[in-house]
Amino acid sequence: MTHKKIVSLALGTILSIGVAAARVPDTPDVAATPAARTHGRHHFNPERQVQFLGKKLNLTDDQKSQMLPIFTDQNQQMRSILADTSLSRQDRRQKMSALHQDSQAKIAALLTDDQKQKYADLQQQMKDHGRARRRHYQGSNANTEPPDAAPQNN
């Protein structure tokens, strides 16, 4: 190869690397963000939660306006707990549970007795639904083995 061809090839390589580097956006790694670690779960939306409960519990406008800041604060604190990588799984779970209990107490204080009963029934339905989904998911994975798993003779 002649000296001119080598220089041209080197210059072409350097320019193509520069162009490729210029195309990479200067944004944080999406997989590293807490929202990406939700693994496809629905994001908590305070406005939608208030709207949902408003319909299910027949909330007054005053009750709705008092609930929104509770859900908004809960959402912000949840995100903070989830983003705190210094917490162990157990500590994270305890903080989330305490936050949930605190928010539930604030919400219950805003409800009438009839609404409290409907809210408790709604919470139980959601718990039952979640348990059924977990059982279904665990049951569907219980009978499957990885393809490279060999039977063990103990």
Side-chain angles (χ1 to χ4, degrees):
M1 243 187 207
T2 66
H3 182 62
K4 255 185 172 178
K5 285 183 181 180
I6 292 173
V7 171
S8 294
L9 183 61
L11 188 57
T13 303
I14 291 170
L15 287 174
S16 65
I17 291 171
V19 169
R23 288 185 182 187
V24 176
D26 189 22
T27 57
D29 182 12
V30 175
T33 62
R37 291 191 302 252
T38 60
H39 303 289
R41 294 183 187 137
H42 297 285
H43 297 283
F44 185 77
N45 183 322
E47 292 86 8
R48 286 181 67 195
Q49 186 71 10
V50 170
Q51 183 181 19
F52 173 79
L53 289 177
K55 289 178 183 177
K56 292 290 184 178
L57 304 178
N58 197 25
L59 298 175
T60 65
D61 289 340
D62 187 45
Q63 287 173 311
K64 291 177 198 176
S65 67
Q66 291 177 11
M67 278 188 191
L68 185 58
I70 295 170
F71 286 126
T72 301
D73 183 54
Q74 179 185 18
N75 184 30
Q76 291 170 345
Q77 288 186 49
M78 271 192 215
R79 288 179 187 271
S80 176
I81 293 167
L82 291 171
D84 188 350
T85 58
S86 69
L87 293 174
S88 69
R89 183 178 182 157
Q90 182 178 4
D91 289 342
R92 184 173 287 114
R93 180 173 273 178
Q94 287 174 345
K95 284 184 176 260
M96 294 290 277
S97 178
L99 176 59
H100 179 72
Q101 288 175 358
D102 181 55
S103 297
Q104 294 302 308
K106 290 176 183 176
I107 291 166
L110 301 174
L111 301 176
T112 66
D113 289 339
D114 184 47
Q115 290 171 328
K116 285 178 188 177
Q117 184 58 50
K118 288 179 184 178
Y119 188 60
D121 293 345
L122 187 60
Q123 294 284 24
Q124 187 61 48
Q125 288 173 3
M126 292 190 314
K127 274 185 184 179
D128 292 345
H129 179 72
R131 286 184 186 131
R133 286 184 62 162
R134 281 190 297 280
R135 276 195 309 271
H136 174 74
Y137 178 75
Q138 290 169 349
S140 66
N141 289 335
N143 296 328
T144 60
E145 287 185 6
D148 58 343
Q152 294 185 6
N153 297 328
N154 289 342

